Amino acid sequence: SQGDFDFRSNSVDGVLSAIEFSSLNPELFYAATTNGRFFYSEDGGGTWDNALGGIPGGHYLYGQSIYASKKDTNTVWLGGSGYSNPAVYKSDNGGGFFFQMSEGLPPTLVFEITGNDDESLLFAATEAGPFVYVFEEEKWYDMSGLCAPAQTYWSVEYIREFNVVRFGTYGRGIWDFEIDEVINTKEEF
C-alpha cells in the first residue's frame, strides 16, 4: 500500500531511490532520495523525519544503497555516487550525522553494500569493481585480484552458510569470493 508521506515535496523535489528496514527493529526504516536527502521512520513507515541532506545521490536507474546494521540499531551505511564526493558514508546515530568512509575507494558509483555477520567487513558492488572495507584498518581494498573481470559490479550479498560474498556483474556473470581470513592487505608491488 502507498503511504501518505510525500518524499518529493519533503526533499525539495527528490524522489525515493533507496529504502531499508532494520532487522533488529522492524519498525525502524531508512530512506534516501535522488537529491541526497536521508529520512528515517520509527513506526514502520507511518511517519518520517528528515534526518540529513547532502549525502550521495544514486545512479539514475539504480538509486543508492542503504545497509542497516545487524548488530546496532543506530548504525546505518549509505552508498551512492562518489564522483564529486565520497561514495560511502556511515552513521552511528540512526542517520542524524554521517561520516565518510573513502580511504582506498576510488571515485566511483556504489550500487550496493552489505556486511559480513560480525560486520568486521563491508562489501561494495561498484562501477569500478568489487571492494571490501576492513574496519580494523579503516580502509577499502579492491577484491578483483588477478582473475575477476574489470567490470561493473551491480549487486552483492554475503552468504553466511558458505562464508562467501557473491557479486553480480554487468554481462560477466556471478562471482563468488570465499572469505577464509585476512592474511595480507598490503600491496606487494
Side-chain angles (χ1 to χ4, degrees):
S1 65
Q2 181 173 333
D4 293 330
F5 189 77
D6 185 352
F7 284 96
R8 184 181 292 266
S9 66
N10 284 283
S11 68
V12 192
D13 213 29
V15 294
L16 185 64
S17 62
I19 192 165
E20 174 86 343
F21 76 95
S22 169
S23 62
L24 300 173
N25 176 2
E27 293 293 306
L28 181 58
F29 280 60
Y30 299 106
T33 59
T34 54
N35 62 344
R37 303 293 175 117
F38 194 81
F39 298 85
Y40 67 92
S41 170
E42 295 177 330
D43 61 4
T47 59
W48 291 88
D49 290 306
N50 188 344
L52 185 71
I55 58 172
H59 183 269
Y60 70 101
L61 289 176
Y62 211 75
Q64 298 114 311
S65 178
I66 301 171
Y67 175 66
S69 173
K70 293 175 176 48
K71 293 175 59 179
D72 179 4
T73 57
N74 291 316
T75 302
V76 61
W77 291 270
L78 179 115
S81 177
Y83 293 112
S84 61
N85 50 263
V88 178
Y89 287 78
K90 178 183 180 184
S91 173
D92 290 325
N93 65 351
F97 177 79
F98 282 85
F99 60 90
Q100 57 184 291
M101 296 173 54
S102 58
E103 180 69 29
L105 189 64
T108 189
L109 183 60
V110 172
F111 292 108
E112 189 168 20
I113 52 179
T114 194
N116 63 347
D117 278 349
D118 67 2
E119 293 179 348
S120 60
L121 304 172
L122 188 69
F123 303 100
T126 80
E127 198 164 49
F131 282 84
V132 59
Y133 186 85
V134 180
F135 281 94
E136 187 175 298
E137 299 181 24
E138 298 181 353
K139 186 174 180 183
W140 288 98
Y141 293 94
D142 184 343
M143 293 180 66
S144 58
L146 300 175
C147 65
Q151 182 74 65
T152 298
Y153 287 69
W154 285 91
S155 64
V156 61
E157 64 180 321
Y158 177 74
I159 304 168
R160 179 179 44 85
E161 295 81 9
F162 304 109
N163 203 24
V164 162
V165 60
R166 176 170 290 161
F167 289 90
T169 69
Y170 183 75
R172 294 291 305 269
I174 297 168
W175 287 77
D176 284 355
F177 294 81
E178 186 176 339
I179 309 298
D180 285 332
E181 64 179 298
V182 177
I183 297 170
N184 183 2
T185 56
K186 295 186 188 284
E187 295 184 18
E188 309 237 351
F189 299 106

